[in-house]
Amino acid sequence: MNFNEYPDREMLSISVANRIAGDLKNHLLRNGRAAIAVAGGTTPGPIFDDLCAAELDWGNVCVMASDERWVPEDSDRSNAKLIRSRLLTNRAAEAQFLPFYTDGLEPDVAIESLSEKVRGQGGLAVALLGMGTDMHTASLFPGVAGLEHALAADAPEVAVMRPDSQPEARITLSAHVLDAAMAKHLVIFGAEKREALERAQSLPPEEAPIQAVLSECQVHWAE
């Protein structure tokens, strides 16, 4: 893990967007295609606003969420809605998008097909992650049924999680998929999350799921 501290959130967003653009360009040069998984929520929006203008071969980039609530894309709780409106615009409008929500299916039925689609991308070039004060990342929440399965090295590419704290089921990329990304960027804000990250480093992934992806991860923090 490498810790990067910034004077403010705007500088962080610009820097992270530039680094991700560089990661994608390098991967495209070597492999011809690249897949990126990005966090939802409020944190990555400003990063998307900068990243979407990057000059790279977006037509050979596949974008997916690190996790998704099982809600239609027109819901304000949909990560896909955020990604489409703030990342898949400008130059990045040429990128492909891999949605997780499947209308008319229950998540437990959809995961086999979704795992196959994720597997078909050949691994992630980049993972842009967030973390909660409870030390969860993506939808890998501590104490939730199914977490041990989603943390396993032989887990399917996606897993269904049903945290009691959330009103709907979630689809999440499994820990090994996120951890295997060629470049991992974790963005956190504020003293409380910095303290949570420090605490997570001495805990097992079952108690602090973020621990499962910290190896060689670039952590970006601002107050």
Side-chain angles (χ1 to χ4, degrees):
M1 186 186 85
N2 187 44
F3 192 86
N4 304 273
E5 185 172 337
Y6 299 84
D8 57 54
R9 299 185 182 191
E10 182 178 1
M11 289 294 294
L12 180 152
S13 295
I14 294 169
S15 177
V16 172
N18 286 337
R19 293 183 70 163
I20 290 175
D23 293 335
L24 289 172
K25 286 179 184 178
N26 290 336
H27 196 85
L28 287 165
L29 282 172
R30 294 193 304 270
N31 301 279
R33 294 187 55 77
I36 176 173
V38 297
T42 58
T43 298
I47 298 171
F48 295 165
D49 295 340
D50 290 316
L51 180 59
C52 69
E55 293 187 26
L56 55 91
D57 184 11
W58 284 106
N60 282 309
V61 175
C62 177
V63 178
M64 68 187 81
S66 61
D67 63 314
E68 180 61 279
R69 301 173 181 90
W70 201 252
V71 294
E73 283 192 23
D74 58 1
S75 168
D76 288 338
R77 290 180 60 76
S78 168
N79 287 338
K81 182 177 183 179
L82 169 73
I83 292 167
R84 287 190 187 277
S85 64
R86 296 189 68 174
L87 178 54
L88 300 179
T89 184
N90 203 322
R91 292 188 176 96
E94 296 181 8
Q96 302 167 31
F97 180 60
L98 175 54
F100 288 170
Y101 175 77
T102 308
D103 192 33
L105 288 182
E106 289 299 314
D108 299 276
V109 176
I111 57 171
E112 183 175 351
S113 173
L114 288 175
S115 287
E116 184 176 344
K117 290 176 181 178
V118 172
R119 189 162 57 250
Q121 295 302 319
L124 296 175
V126 180
L128 171 61
L129 301 170
M131 184 196 73
T133 54
D134 62 355
M135 299 171 286
H136 85 268
T137 192
S139 283
L140 302 170
F141 288 84
V144 172
L147 175 63
E148 186 174 348
H149 175 64
L151 291 173
D154 60 350
E157 282 71 16
V158 300
V160 180
M161 307 297 286
R162 291 184 169 84
D164 293 337
S165 61
Q166 305 297 316
E168 62 275 302
R170 294 187 174 213
I171 288 282
T172 185
L173 292 176
S174 297
H176 73 87
V177 175
L178 295 171
D179 190 45
M182 298 300 294
K184 293 175 287 187
H185 298 276
L186 171 63
V187 175
I188 55 174
F189 295 138
E192 189 175 7
K193 287 193 176 181
R194 183 169 182 168
E195 291 167 3
L197 180 64
E198 291 171 354
R199 192 163 66 253
Q201 293 175 64
S202 62
L203 295 172
E206 291 78 13
E207 296 179 37
I210 189 65
Q211 174 71 280
V213 299
L214 287 181
S215 175
E216 299 183 25
C217 182
Q218 295 291 328
V219 178
H220 307 273
W221 177 84
E223 186 54 68

